[in-house]
Amino acid sequence: MVMNRRIIEHFLIVLFLCLMNYDGVRGKPPIKTIKTEYGDIFDCVDFYDQPAFHHPKLKSHNYHPQMKPSLFMMKVVDPSKSITDTLESMKLPDGGCPVGTVPVRRFTKKDLTRHKLLPEPEDNFVANGNNFNDSKARRKKPLKGYNTAIVSTVDNPNNKFGGASMIAAIYNPRSTGQQHSACRLKLIKGKNIIQVGWRVDPTLYGDNRTRLFIHFNDGTNSCFDLLCPSFVVVSELSPFGQPFRHISDIHGEHFDWAFQIKWDQQKGNWWLFLQHMTDQYIPVGFWPKEVFDDFGNYATRVEWGGVVYSPAGVLLPPMGTGNYPIIKSALSIAYCRNIALLDDKGQYIDISNSNLPTTSTNSLLYSVADYPNYGLGSDYNHTILYGGPGEL
């Protein structure tokens, strides 16, 4: 973990100096700089100057800004019927980034200092032999401070999942100091992890707003958003770390958002799709197969739901709405609806009548419920409810 932290800190310092001195990977200044209403600064950098191409295995890449998935095909869920925030409302101001550039959130010296307080990754891997292809060899060593309330696939080393999706309600659970509270879609194979969702994380972002995040872990390096060279951005509409403009209120309006991760069968990359407008998805970028040790074909486990963290001696924060899912009400409980699963051929796996395993690491503080048939029509097919008050 010490080596991992040193590698990430070194990369952050280099990137910080590059942006401050307008000296990108190729020595080019940002094409455009945008300051948001939240005080964040995004640099619109040329596609080829983005952080991903610092990765030593991507030095000779042939990726280009017009890239699209080989299977730019099926939609896993249809977001058109949801009351939802959209990627349009998360676009950067001042016309956003120009085509051919990608937004990279700038960080400050204060951010660098704060990032040193980030906790170890949620999962600590303990090898059982050298076979990380076997999910039984991937042992979770519980880390103090983390609690989850999730629905997952059965933990079977023979599973072959080529993607998953969810439409998640957007909330703002109170988190301060080094606490964080999040909702995520998470794909796992061996020691490799990719995930997407929303989180409230003052240590990572410097405030307690609910923000869009991605996360990567190859067992050695672990980082959020673009803070290490692991994710190739292809869209100017992907401001990772940007706050959601609209937050659900259990006594008022409700907003949710759709997330998809899909494996490109021809290229082996893992693509991230985010909702755009009200009836379509756009591919915003991908995790290249080169950055993993063995994740170029399928995942063996998928998780949906919530996670919280507090350091030792600090009370645990709320998860979701702060309410337990003791009643079947999506209006007062945090949810992930229309969850879906793909096999390694890109075909739907029918989970409409399947109760999936549920796990709550502390059932006194957080809980989760799985409803394969939620009973509210096609807008709420397979739905999970999760959350809890924590200790606050």
Side-chain angles (χ1 to χ4, degrees):
M1 182 61 201
V2 173
M3 180 62 68
N4 172 50
R5 192 178 295 276
R6 286 177 179 172
I7 292 172
I8 294 175
E9 287 178 1
H10 175 74
F11 176 77
L12 292 176
I13 292 170
V14 171
L15 185 58
F16 171 77
L17 293 174
C18 287
L19 293 176
M20 293 299 100
N21 296 322
Y22 298 106
D23 182 19
V25 179
R26 296 184 172 185
K28 294 181 180 180
I31 307 300
K32 183 179 180 180
T33 295
I34 300 172
K35 185 172 183 178
T36 73
E37 61 188 284
Y38 307 104
D40 301 317
I41 296 176
F42 285 86
D43 289 300
C44 302
V45 303
D46 185 272
F47 171 84
Y48 296 102
D49 292 340
Q50 65 177 289
F53 300 133
H54 282 280
H55 197 289
K57 292 184 179 179
L58 295 179
K59 293 295 186 182
S60 302
H61 71 90
N62 59 357
Y63 299 136
H64 56 85
Q66 288 77 40
M67 283 188 66
K68 287 186 172 51
S70 298
L71 302 177
F72 183 65
M73 53 319 164
M74 57 204 138
K75 291 188 296 185
V76 176
V77 291
D78 181 0
S80 63
K81 299 175 182 176
S82 65
I83 302 173
T84 180
D85 195 9
T86 67
L87 198 60
E88 277 291 319
S89 66
M90 291 188 70
K91 285 180 63 175
L92 296 172
D94 191 26
C97 285
V99 174
T101 69
V102 298
V104 178
R105 185 172 180 266
R106 185 185 294 185
F107 50 89
T108 66
K109 291 181 179 179
K110 289 184 179 179
D111 293 323
L112 288 174
T113 299
R114 201 176 58 250
H115 289 169
K116 293 179 180 180
L117 302 176
L118 286 170
E120 293 183 31
E122 177 188 342
D123 289 337
N124 193 15
F125 303 102
V126 179
N128 181 13
N130 296 317
N131 182 15
F132 281 103
N133 291 325
D134 185 343
S135 65
K136 292 183 180 179
R138 178 185 173 276
R139 304 298 185 188
K140 288 185 180 179
K141 180 181 178 181
L143 292 172
K144 292 181 179 180
Y146 282 98
N147 279 275
T148 60
I150 59 170
V151 167
S152 68
T153 56
V154 176
D155 194 8
N156 185 332
N158 297 317
N159 287 338
K160 293 183 178 181
F161 302 123
S165 66
M166 68 178 184
I167 300 177
I170 309 300
Y171 282 99
N172 182 247
R174 182 160 60 98
S175 300
T176 59
Q178 289 179 259
Q179 297 173 331
H180 70 244
S181 185
C183 171
R184 80 287 174 85
L185 165 64
K186 182 176 181 180
L187 278 70
I188 302 165
K189 184 182 182 186
K191 58 184 179 180
N192 302 291
I193 292 174
I194 51 178
Q195 55 184 328
V196 62
W198 58 259
R199 68 192 293 110
V200 182
D201 193 334
T203 307
L204 180 60
Y205 296 115
D207 60 29
N208 57 0
R209 296 185 176 94
T210 304
R211 296 175 182 258
L212 169 69
F213 84 95
I214 57 173
H215 179 256
F216 157 87
N217 192 336
D218 65 2
T220 301
N221 300 299
S222 173
C223 67
F224 291 92
D225 302 337
L226 306 181
L227 293 180
C228 69
S230 59
F231 188 87
V232 176
V233 182
V234 300
S235 171
E236 69 276 13
L237 300 173
S238 53
F240 297 119
Q242 176 81 336
F244 282 90
R245 189 176 300 276
H246 303 299
I247 303 297
S248 297
D249 182 345
I250 61 174
H251 303 296
E253 288 189 281
H254 291 77
F255 300 92
D256 55 26
W257 220 42
F259 308 85
Q260 295 182 11
I261 297 176
K262 295 191 291 188
W263 172 55
D264 186 327
Q265 298 175 47
Q266 294 184 25
K267 302 296 185 181
N269 302 318
W270 287 91
W271 280 85
L272 173 65
F273 292 76
L274 296 176
Q275 185 172 330
H276 181 56
M277 303 298 288
T278 58
D279 61 353
Q280 61 178 309
Y281 291 89
I282 62 168
V284 298
F286 59 91
W287 289 273
K289 64 180 179 181
E290 293 92 342
V291 303
F292 302 103
D293 69 324
D294 179 29
F295 205 12
N297 39 23
Y298 54 83
T300 58
R301 180 178 171 89
V302 177
E303 298 178 358
W304 301 263
V307 59
V308 298
Y309 171 82
S310 276
V314 178
L315 298 178
L316 286 160
M319 179 190 293
T321 64
N323 294 329
Y324 297 110
I326 57 176
I327 57 174
K328 192 177 178 181
S329 172
L331 298 181
S332 60
I333 308 296
Y335 63 81
C336 301
R337 64 183 179 88
N338 284 32
I339 66 170
L341 201 58
L342 297 176
D343 64 20
D344 62 331
K345 307 299 183 186
Q347 302 299 313
Y348 295 107
I349 298 175
D350 186 3
I351 57 173
S352 59
N353 296 303
S354 303
N355 283 103
L356 298 175
T358 61
T359 303
S360 176
T361 54
N362 191 333
S363 59
L364 295 178
L365 303 180
Y366 312 104
S367 187
V368 60
D370 181 43
Y371 294 102
N373 297 292
Y374 195 64
L376 293 181
S378 60
D379 288 2
Y380 288 85
N381 286 331
H382 201 145
T383 295
I384 73 171
L385 304 179
Y386 71 94
E391 297 174 310
L392 299 183

